[in-house]
């Protein structure tokens, strides 16, 4: 049963506001429709007339009695012939239509009044349609998300991602279309609409900046105009990065690009951003989608996506939705990231070829990246193919410290207990393949088949030395030191595969789209060979002058002699997780135009998804039946003479894991399996199961002049079945048994939302939102697994009784779009999260495991997140001469949070883990005469990385500032060269304990690349 707190009252407020808005919208719709029906539909009302040889005037009087209409005419329109009518259940329109046609009359309907006019008969005239593109007058490129208004009406249309628009039900005759776009001069276009025909148009706008030498709306500026237009016209609060904007930074992956977005921080892996943190909440509390469909996981046990696995060259744009509408998945408490894939551009063929070479300065190894993307659209067919490849090296020097309690001169002191040096050489290969085939049966419809494949392969070569301290003789000397040495090669495959078949159409003001998608996420680690050798019984002096890099001065021992290192065991493992989805969605939309400034749009639809997820962890330890082997025959050539910026020499006496695997395979008879080790590290982590998701929604958008009210309700139901293992050990720690357990459960909920947008003027919006969202538990958290260690009286267990976490979200935002391609915005937000999901450590009370220490993921904590964010981006085109090429880009977010955590010792209130209290970006750019250059800073403040039982043992990641540089120069219309340098200032990742003791320190150095872009068309 869900726990109730203050969020419950906010939920009721949101639901009541949403319900009130819906009721007002429906009443308004009914009133207007009733008024319209009285006039416009009166002629279409079925009536019965039985008249013989009457005048035209008498006929009209009878129709007025039956319908309530009022006919207006003069002597000029009077018909002298007599009329007879004997019809049952026919419309008044069908009665008078033959008379009008015969006498060359037509009618004008105005509310309940029908005016007769002499002239061409148009009583049965059908309206026409206008379809087409909004384009740049100079480059002929389309302008996505442009605003098109039918002058004199409330009919406003936004072009799609390809700059395409459809206007149905337009009266025959001449209409004026008003078109506007950020960075362009608004214009009006006169269009002649023929009855019952589709009229095709190309509406071309002039750039506002064409009068400034060297500056045009192209390349990066065009991308910025697209992104800003998308944001300005959106129904919700969102931030958009276009392809061109992504390319202005030295960002090779989607993860790197995401760190530039306001309110976004990233979790880093080997110096590169991997998982997204939106407004202080980690990726597990949000979602990552591709073209609106949630992507399956490429991690183990969780729903997360490794964003290192998607090359930025494969995407058209990235949308970060910070508030939700009913038509969007409710799984987005932190936010929703939607990756938009490349699509064929209308009107011409496009080819882009990129290539670059670079260097990683920590390893001294070279990088290579290349891409080929081609698309074409002609008449009814369009297609796209893309191949993107990256072959790079990354490195990390890591120094990790642990502490323990030692007695020195009879006094217990907390001293260094272990120092580990771990050097990692990473060879990464990314492959991104894309294809799309589209067919356009009419000007208003499309059928498409899209596919994408992203493969991320990483081979890690590691050299590790760890120094474990037995005891201290005094504060500067230790004995019983054991040095552990390992060379542990391991690899990772993270694959994303997606196929989508769908279509959309626009008929008589009805818009419908449907999509069926199959997606697969794979995490596979087939190589993990760990030969761990030890050299024991050593003594050393310990120098803690630099507590982040302690030095060991060994006495009378050659610690680099491999003959002094031995082992009696060998570990290898294979870990694989597979996440597969089949999902279908349907959305239907209809717009009703009331008056010149008011309209109502209703939208409804749903989604169904079936998911299968499985995870297998085969973790094996093999022990020699007799004796040991020394490192002499298993020595690797791993060497880092200048390790950790020269503080250490990580060379000599490091094992080769490949040689250990080879030796094991050739000498199987010499080894025996350690059953306890294998079962403890394999069975609890192995599971399989499936989930189903059913969702339905209804959404209304009421436009009252400058105010848009977007409200509605979404319902989602998640069911799941998981199979896991209960693993038990005896009081000596030996393996006893594994029993398979299955569970079948689920959760559901209603998620109302209300988004308000008030347009102060064409470039200024005030937004407010009250929404309800959810966050689902990770897969592994729901599995009924259990690991019981009787000897230690502790256990770790899954929790199939977990409920989804729900959140009430309040947002307010002011945004002003500048004429010179820019944005100034500021806003505040608040989230009240109920049933927050976190890992708890508690003491079991009663039962078979009384007083056991239990580690389990649970619900229960209530979390509050609140803060503000500001952003400013502007091209300073108002400056004179050379200076008008400068631009500024900056954003800053400050966040606070709190939740109460029960613990073994006491309850305490803390900030949420992973929440950066301050995060931001700042950059200065220059773009003119084909040159584009930018120096950028990304930063975040110190935060809690991992919670412990006490504040002193919490892991705190120190604040980090990274400096990047990128530049490009257009050689001619077809060729551009570029340069990118990342981490110019050698930013590092540092973790300390809550009391200030150094824990983990990671050093990455700098990497750079230079290359070209070629576009022949």
């Amino acid at each position: 049963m869900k726990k109730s707190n203050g969020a419950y009252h906010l939920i009721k407020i949101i639901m009541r506001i949403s319900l009130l808005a819906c009721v007002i919208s429906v009443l308004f719709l009914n009133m207007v429709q009733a008024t319209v029906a009285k006039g416009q539909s009166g002629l279409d009302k079925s009536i019965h007339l039985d008249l013989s040889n009457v005048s035209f005037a008498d006929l009209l009087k009878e129709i007025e009695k039956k319908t309530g209409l009022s006919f207006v005419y003069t002597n000029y329109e009077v018909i002298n012939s007599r009329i007879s009518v004997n019809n049952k259940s026919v419309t008044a329109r069908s009665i008078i239509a033959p008379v009008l046609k015969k006498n060359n009359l037509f009618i004008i309907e105005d509310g309940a009044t029908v005016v007769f006019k002499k002239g061409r008969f148009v009583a049965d005239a059908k309206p026409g349609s206008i379809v087409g593109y909004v384009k740049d007058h100079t480059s002929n490129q389309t302008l996505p998300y442009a605003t098109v208004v039918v002058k004199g009406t409330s009919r406003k249309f936004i072009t799609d991602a390809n700059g395409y628009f459809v206007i149905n039900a337009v009266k025959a005759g001449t209409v004026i279309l008003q078109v506007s776009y950020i960075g362009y001069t608004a214009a009006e276009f006169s269009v002649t609409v023929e009855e019952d025909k589709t009229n095709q148009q190309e509406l071309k706008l002039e750039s506002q900046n064409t009068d400034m030498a060297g500056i045009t709306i192209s390349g990066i500026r065009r991308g910025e105009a697209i992104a800003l237009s998308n944001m300005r016209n959106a129904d919700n609060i969102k931030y958009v990065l276009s392809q061109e904007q992504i390319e202005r930074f030295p960002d090779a992956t989607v993860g790197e690009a995401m760190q530039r977005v306001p309110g976004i921080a990233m979790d880093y892996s080997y110096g590169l951003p991997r998982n997204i943190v939106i407004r202080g909440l980690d990726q597990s509390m949000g979602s990552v989608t591709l073209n609106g469909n949630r992507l399956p996981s490429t991690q183990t046990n969780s729903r997360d996506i490794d964003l290192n696995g998607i090359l930025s060259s494969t995407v058209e744009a990235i949308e970060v939705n910070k508030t939700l509408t009913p038509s969007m998945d409710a799984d987005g408490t932190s936010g929703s990231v939607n990756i938009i894939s490349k699509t064929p551009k209308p009107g011409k063929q496009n080819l882009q070829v990129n290539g670059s070479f670079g260097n990683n300065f920590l390893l001294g190894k070279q990088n290579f990246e290349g891409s080929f993307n081609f698309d074409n659209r002609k008449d009814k067919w369009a297609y796209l193919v893309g191949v993107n490849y990256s072959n790079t090296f990354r490195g990390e020097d890591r120094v990790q410290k642990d502490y323990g309690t030692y007695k020195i001169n009879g006094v217990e002191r907390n001293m260094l207990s272990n120092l580990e040096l771990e050097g990692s050489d990473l060879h990464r290969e990314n492959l991104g393949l894309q294809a799309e085939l589209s067919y356009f049966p009419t000007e208003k419809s499309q059928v498409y088949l899209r596919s994408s494949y992203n493969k991320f392969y990483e081979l890690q070569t590691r050299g590790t030395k760890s120094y474990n301290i037995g005891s201290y003789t005094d504060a500067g000397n230790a004995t019983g030191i054991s040095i552990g040495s390992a060379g542990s090669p391991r690899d990772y495959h993270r694959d994303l595969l997606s196929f989508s078949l769908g279509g959309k159409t626009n008929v008589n003001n009805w818009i419908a789209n449907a999509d069926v998608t199959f997606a697969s996420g794979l995490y596979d680690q087939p190589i993990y060979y760990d030969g761990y050798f030890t050299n024991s019984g050593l003594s050393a002096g310990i120098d803690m002058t630099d507590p982040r890099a302690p030095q060991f001065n060994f006495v009378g021992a050659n610690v680099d002699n491999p003959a002094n290192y031995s082992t009696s065991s060998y570990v290898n493992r294979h870990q694989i997780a597979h996440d597969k989805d089949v999902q279908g969605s349907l959305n239907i939309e209809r717009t009703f135009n009331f008056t010149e400034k008011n309209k109502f749009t209703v939208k409804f639809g749903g989604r169904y998804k079936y998911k299968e997820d499985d995870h297998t962890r085969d973790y094996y330890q093999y022990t020699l039946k007799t004796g040991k082997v020394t490192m002499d025959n298993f020595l690797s050539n791993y060497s880092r003479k200048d390790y950790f910026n020269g503080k250490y020499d990580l060379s000599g006496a490091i094992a080769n894991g490949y040689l250990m695997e080879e030796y094991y395979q050739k000498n199987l008879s010499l080894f025996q399996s350690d059953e306890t080790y294998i079962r403890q590290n394999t069975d609890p982590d192995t599971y399989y199961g499936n989930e189903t998701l059913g969702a339905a929604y209804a959404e209304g958008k009421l436009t009252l002049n400058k105010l848009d009210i977007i409200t509605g309700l979404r319902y989602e139901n998640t069911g799941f079945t998981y199979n896991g293992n209960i693993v038990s050990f005896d009081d000596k720690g030996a393996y006893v048994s594994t029993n398979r357990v299955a569970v079948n459960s689920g959760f559901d909920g209603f998620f109302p939302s209300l988004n308000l947008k008030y347009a102060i003027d064409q470039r200024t919006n005030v937004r407010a939102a009250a929404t309800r969202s959810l966050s689902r538990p990770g897969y592994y958290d729901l599995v009924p697994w259990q690991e019981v260690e009787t000897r230690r009286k502790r256990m770790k267990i899954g929790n199939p009784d977990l409920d989804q976490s729900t959140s009430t979200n309040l947002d307010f935002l002011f945004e002003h779009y500048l004429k010179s391609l820019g944005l100034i915005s500021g806003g505040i937000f608040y989230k009240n999260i109920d049933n927050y999901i976190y890992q708890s450590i508690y003491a079991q009370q009663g039962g078979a495991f009384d007083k056991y220490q239990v580690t389990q993921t649970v619900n229960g904590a209530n979390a509050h997140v609140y803060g503000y964010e500001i952003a400013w981006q502007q091209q300073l085109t108002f400056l004179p001469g050379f200076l008008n090429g400068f631009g500024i880009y900056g954003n800053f977010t400050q966040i606070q949070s709190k939740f109460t955590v029960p613990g073994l010792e006491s309850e305490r209130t803390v900030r949420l883990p992973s929440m950066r209290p301050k995060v931001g970006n700042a950059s200065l750019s220059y773009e003119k005469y084909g040159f584009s250059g930018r120096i950028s800073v990304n930063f975040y403040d110190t935060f809690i990385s991992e919670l412990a039982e006490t504040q002193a043992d919490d892991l705190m990641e120190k604040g980090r500032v990274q400096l990047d540089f990128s530049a490009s120069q257009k050689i001619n219309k077809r060729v551009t060269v570029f340069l990118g340098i990342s981490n110019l200032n050698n930013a590092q990742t540092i973790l300390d304990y809550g009391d200030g003791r150094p824990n983990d320190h990671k050093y990455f150095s700098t990497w750079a690349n230079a290359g070209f872009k070629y576009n022949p068309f």
Side-chain angles (χ1 to χ4, degrees):
M1 181 177 179
K2 296 181 180 180
K3 296 184 179 180
S4 178
N5 55 35
Y8 177 70
H9 301 290
L10 289 173
I11 298 171
K12 292 199 296 184
I13 293 173
I14 293 176
M15 294 191 71
R16 288 172 180 173
I17 293 174
S18 300
L19 180 61
L20 180 61
C22 287
V23 170
I24 292 173
S25 300
V26 171
L27 290 176
F28 189 68
L29 173 63
N30 288 335
M31 287 189 293
V32 175
Q33 288 291 81
T35 303
V36 173
K38 188 175 180 181
Q40 292 184 340
S41 302
L43 287 176
D44 297 313
K45 181 179 178 182
S46 294
I47 60 175
H48 173 72
L49 287 180
D50 186 6
L51 302 173
S52 177
N53 198 34
V54 298
S55 68
F56 182 61
D58 290 336
L59 171 66
L60 296 182
K61 289 179 182 179
E62 289 298 319
I63 294 176
E64 286 178 337
K65 293 177 182 179
K66 300 282 187 178
T67 63
L69 294 172
S70 176
F71 292 107
V72 177
Y73 54 91
T74 66
N75 291 334
Y76 185 69
E77 289 87 24
V78 170
I79 298 172
N80 295 322
S81 59
R82 311 294 290 183
I83 301 169
S84 297
V85 179
N86 185 11
N87 290 306
K88 295 181 179 180
S89 299
V90 295
T91 64
R93 190 183 302 277
S94 65
I95 293 173
I96 67 172
V99 180
L100 297 175
K101 186 174 183 180
K102 181 179 179 181
N103 292 276
N104 196 31
L105 294 175
F106 70 93
I107 59 174
I108 299 174
E109 300 174 64
D110 183 12
T113 303
V114 180
V115 181
F116 287 87
K117 291 290 184 182
K118 202 78 171 177
R120 184 172 64 90
F121 173 72
V122 293
D124 290 330
K126 296 182 179 180
S129 301
I130 306 173
V131 302
Y133 294 92
V134 176
K135 294 186 175 182
D136 182 296
H137 187 273
T138 302
S139 67
N140 208 38
Q141 290 182 303
T142 58
L143 299 178
Y145 314 110
T147 301
V148 181
V149 176
V150 180
K151 188 175 183 179
T153 74
S154 64
R155 306 191 69 188
K156 181 174 73 172
F157 301 85
I158 307 300
T159 61
D160 65 12
N162 291 316
Y164 189 68
F165 67 92
V166 175
I167 307 176
N168 286 316
V170 183
K171 289 184 179 180
T174 300
V175 297
I176 304 298
L177 299 183
Q178 298 172 315
V179 185
S180 60
Y181 201 71
I182 292 177
Y184 287 76
T185 302
E188 293 186 351
F189 300 87
S190 177
V191 178
T192 300
V193 180
E194 298 183 50
E195 63 181 76
D196 200 25
K197 288 187 178 181
T198 299
N199 303 269
Q200 297 186 3
Q201 299 289 322
E202 284 193 359
L203 311 179
K204 297 186 177 182
L205 299 181
E206 294 277 2
S207 164
Q208 289 178 339
N209 297 319
T210 52
D211 59 331
M212 297 182 183
I215 300 177
T216 58
I217 300 294
S218 63
I220 292 173
R221 293 184 182 277
R222 177 179 180 272
E224 193 162 2
I226 293 172
L228 293 173
S229 297
N230 187 352
M231 292 156 57
R232 181 186 66 174
N233 292 313
D235 290 333
N236 63 322
I237 297 175
K238 68 161 63 172
Y239 191 87
V240 182
L241 279 174
S242 70
Q243 174 191 351
E244 293 88 348
Q245 287 176 294
I246 294 171
E247 290 176 351
R248 70 168 57 180
F249 299 100
D251 298 334
T253 68
V254 168
E256 291 178 88
M258 291 305 305
Q259 64 187 335
R260 316 295 178 182
V261 176
I264 298 294
M266 302 298 296
D267 276 331
Y268 286 80
S269 173
Y270 301 101
L272 291 176
R274 179 175 65 182
N275 295 331
I276 188 171
V277 178
I278 306 177
R279 289 178 166 178
L281 300 175
D282 63 35
Q283 193 176 124
S284 66
M285 301 198 70
S287 61
V288 179
T289 62
L290 177 65
N291 299 319
N293 294 308
R294 174 147 188 176
L295 287 170
S297 174
T298 56
Q299 305 276 46
T300 60
N301 302 336
S302 74
R303 302 178 187 271
D304 294 346
I305 306 295
D306 188 335
L307 295 177
N308 279 324
I310 305 177
L311 293 172
S312 58
S313 57
T314 65
V315 306
E316 186 77 28
I318 303 173
E319 298 177 330
V320 180
N321 296 291
K322 296 183 178 179
T323 66
L324 305 179
T325 63
S327 59
M328 301 168 62
D329 289 347
D331 192 359
T333 293
S334 64
S336 171
V337 176
N338 184 36
I339 300 170
I340 302 174
S341 62
K342 292 180 181 289
T343 57
K345 301 297 186 299
K348 65 175 184 177
Q349 59 184 356
N350 295 279
L351 170 65
Q352 184 168 353
V353 179
N354 297 349
S356 70
F357 294 89
N359 187 71
N360 182 280
F361 293 97
L362 181 66
L363 304 180
K365 294 184 177 180
Q366 284 68 52
N367 301 324
F368 165 76
E369 296 176 2
S371 65
F372 170 91
N373 291 280
F374 178 76
D375 64 83
N376 194 7
R377 177 174 173 182
K378 291 184 177 180
D379 300 326
K380 293 183 176 293
W381 290 94
Y383 61 90
L384 175 145
V385 292
V387 180
N388 305 267
Y389 177 73
S390 172
N391 188 322
T392 61
F393 287 89
R394 295 286 185 263
E396 177 182 275
D397 290 356
R398 181 179 185 182
V399 177
Q400 187 169 11
K401 284 78 62 180
D402 292 308
Y403 302 85
T405 302
Y406 294 88
K407 185 173 286 188
I408 302 175
N409 297 326
V411 179
E412 289 189 345
R413 296 177 61 179
N414 194 10
M415 303 287 290
L416 179 73
S417 62
N418 190 79
L419 170 70
E420 182 173 275
L421 310 180
E422 183 183 77
S424 298
D425 295 20
L426 281 66
H427 181 195
R428 290 180 164 179
E429 290 186 86
N430 288 75
L431 176 65
L433 303 177
Q434 295 175 285
E436 179 177 328
L437 180 65
S438 289
Y439 174 64
F440 301 86
T442 70
E443 298 91 341
K444 304 177 186 178
S445 58
Q446 176 189 7
V447 179
Y448 60 82
L449 176 63
R450 295 187 184 123
S451 63
S452 68
Y453 175 64
N454 288 277
K455 182 175 184 62
F456 173 32
Y457 172 73
E458 178 177 282
L459 177 62
Q460 295 185 7
T461 302
R462 288 186 174 184
T464 302
K465 279 189 177 180
S466 60
Y467 304 83
N468 185 267
I469 299 172
S471 61
Y472 283 85
T473 57
D474 56 49
N477 294 279
T479 60
I481 299 174
S482 174
I483 304 177
S485 176
S488 306
R490 61 186 71 182
D491 68 351
Y492 300 88
H493 299 257
R494 295 179 179 91
D495 298 354
L496 270 175
L497 176 66
S498 175
F499 291 97
S500 295
L501 175 64
K504 53 187 177 181
T505 188
N506 188 318
V507 179
N508 296 329
N509 280 346
W510 287 94
I511 301 174
N513 64 75
D515 182 278
V516 177
T517 294
F518 168 79
S520 171
L522 175 69
Y523 172 99
D524 188 13
Q525 186 190 55
I527 296 176
Y528 184 103
Y529 306 143
D530 190 8
Y532 189 80
F533 292 76
T534 59
N535 182 0
S536 303
L538 303 174
S539 298
I542 301 177
D543 183 358
M544 295 292 293
T545 303
D546 182 356
R548 299 197 178 278
Q551 301 296 316
F552 282 68
N553 302 307
F554 288 95
V555 179
N558 183 1
V559 295
D560 290 327
N561 184 356
N564 294 333
Y565 291 80
S566 64
T567 188
S568 60
S569 64
Y570 165 62
V571 171
N572 69 22
R573 77 184 188 199
H574 180 199
Q575 190 170 7
I576 185 170
H578 209 169
D579 187 7
K580 294 169 286 186
D581 293 344
V582 177
Q583 53 188 310
S585 62
L586 174 67
N587 301 280
I588 298 174
E589 181 179 333
R590 175 71 160 91
T591 299
F592 301 90
N593 296 288
F594 300 151
T595 67
E596 291 185 358
K597 296 183 179 181
N598 303 324
K599 66 178 180 179
F600 181 77
T601 299
V602 62
K603 188 175 182 180
F604 57 91
R607 180 186 298 275
Y608 178 81
K609 179 165 67 176
Y610 174 78
K611 171 189 290 293
E612 291 182 352
D613 182 70
D614 59 79
H615 177 235
T616 302
R617 188 186 191 207
D618 295 320
Y619 208 134
Y620 300 107
Q621 184 177 68
Y622 306 104
T623 305
L624 286 168
K625 294 176 181 178
T626 60
K628 295 183 177 182
V629 293
T630 60
M631 197 191 294
D632 305 63
N633 298 320
F634 305 96
L635 194 63
S636 76
N637 59 359
Y638 189 90
S639 178
R640 290 273 190 89
K641 295 288 187 181
D642 193 28
Y643 186 80
F644 202 65
N645 202 25
K647 297 292 180 66
Y648 299 98
D649 179 359
L650 187 58
S651 305
I654 296 177
N656 186 325
Y658 290 107
L659 295 179
M660 285 297 299
E661 168 69 8
E662 182 181 335
Y663 179 78
Y664 166 73
Q665 293 294 341
K666 291 180 178 179
N667 299 277
L668 296 176
S669 61
L670 300 180
F671 290 86
Q672 60 186 4
S673 300
D674 186 335
E675 185 72 4
T676 295
Y677 183 93
I678 293 172
R679 298 275 67 87
Q680 184 172 5
N681 288 280
T682 296
D683 294 353
D685 294 274
T686 299
Y687 66 88
Y688 65 91
N690 62 71
E691 293 185 0
T692 58
L693 167 69
Y697 74 90
E699 176 181 315
K701 178 180 178 180
L702 179 63
T703 298
L704 301 174
N705 196 1
K706 295 183 176 184
L707 175 65
D708 287 339
I709 304 172
I710 303 96
T711 188
L713 188 65
R714 185 178 185 90
Y715 173 75
E716 291 199 3
N717 183 295
T718 302
F720 60 86
T721 300
Y722 278 108
N723 295 266
N725 296 312
I726 293 180
V727 187
S728 300
F729 305 87
D730 64 21
D731 56 4
K732 294 182 180 180
Y735 170 73
V736 174
S737 64
T738 298
N739 297 307
R740 186 167 293 281
V741 181
V743 66
N744 190 331
S745 189
F747 30 75
D748 66 349
F750 288 93
F751 302 92
S753 67
L754 173 66
N755 282 267
L756 305 175
K757 181 176 73 172
Y758 182 77
I760 297 176
D761 55 42
Q762 192 175 17
R763 292 185 288 113
T764 307
N765 292 327
V766 176
R767 298 178 182 268
T771 61
R772 188 77 173 149
S773 59
L774 69 89
S775 302
R776 295 186 180 90
Y779 306 134
Y780 190 48
D781 296 330
L782 295 170
V783 174
W785 67 275
Q786 184 172 289
E787 180 185 336
V788 182
E789 297 181 82
T790 306
R791 180 172 61 91
R792 298 182 178 180
K793 285 200 170 185
R794 68 184 189 187
M795 59 192 297
K796 299 177 182 178
I797 57 178
N799 191 355
D801 293 327
L802 274 173
D803 199 354
Q804 60 191 3
S805 173
T806 54
S807 177
T808 302
N809 315 294
L810 302 176
D811 292 82
F812 179 84
L813 179 72
F814 170 85
E815 54 185 13
H816 177 69
Y817 295 88
L818 304 169
K819 288 184 178 180
S820 56
L821 279 185
L823 168 68
I824 297 175
S825 67
I828 57 176
F829 57 88
Y830 170 76
K831 297 179 183 295
N832 188 347
I833 306 170
D834 193 18
N835 283 325
Y836 184 78
I837 299 169
Y838 68 101
Q839 188 178 80
S840 176
I841 302 175
Y842 60 91
Q844 176 68 29
Q845 300 296 324
F849 303 107
D850 185 38
K851 297 181 180 178
Y852 273 54
Q853 178 180 310
V854 180
T855 301
Q856 184 184 39
T857 300
V858 299
N859 289 118
N862 179 242
H864 302 267
V865 180
Y866 52 94
Y868 68 89
E869 54 190 21
I870 55 176
W872 175 30
Q873 59 188 86
Q874 183 176 10
Q875 303 301 323
L876 307 180
T877 51
F878 56 85
L879 295 176
F882 172 83
L883 297 177
N884 63 27
F886 281 105
I888 294 173
Y889 178 92
N891 54 70
F892 177 78
T893 302
Q894 182 159 349
I895 310 169
Q896 294 293 331
S897 68
K898 61 180 181 180
F899 82 117
T900 302
V901 184
L904 289 175
E905 297 182 6
S906 63
E907 186 177 82
R908 61 191 181 112
T909 300
V910 298
R911 289 178 175 175
L912 295 177
S914 299
M915 188 215 77
R916 284 76 166 160
K918 297 177 183 177
V919 60
N921 292 276
S923 65
L924 178 67
S925 66
Y926 189 82
E927 297 163 17
K928 196 172 182 181
Y929 301 115
F931 173 81
S932 173
R934 176 173 295 263
I935 187 162
S936 309
V937 174
N938 172 264
F939 62 90
Y940 59 80
D941 199 5
T942 299
F943 66 95
I944 300 173
S945 175
E946 184 178 317
L947 283 172
E949 281 303 300
T950 63
Q951 182 178 353
D953 291 328
D954 288 344
L955 281 182
M956 308 292 296
E957 183 169 326
K958 306 288 285 185
R960 185 175 186 271
V961 178
Q962 179 171 317
L963 184 65
D964 303 318
F965 172 77
S966 60
S968 65
Q969 176 63 56
K970 185 179 287 293
I971 303 303
N972 53 44
K973 290 184 178 181
R974 296 180 174 86
V975 179
T976 300
V977 294
F978 63 86
L979 169 70
I981 307 175
S982 297
N983 202 17
L984 269 168
N985 60 325
N986 188 24
Q988 302 159 39
T989 299
I990 302 173
L991 284 86
D992 290 346
Y993 288 104
D995 59 7
R997 288 170 293 149
N999 171 254
D1000 201 356
H1001 197 144
K1002 301 173 184 178
Y1003 177 93
F1004 314 106
S1005 191
T1006 302
W1007 55 94
N1009 68 322
F1012 71 93
K1013 300 175 185 178
Y1014 174 67
N1015 190 336
F1017 304 120

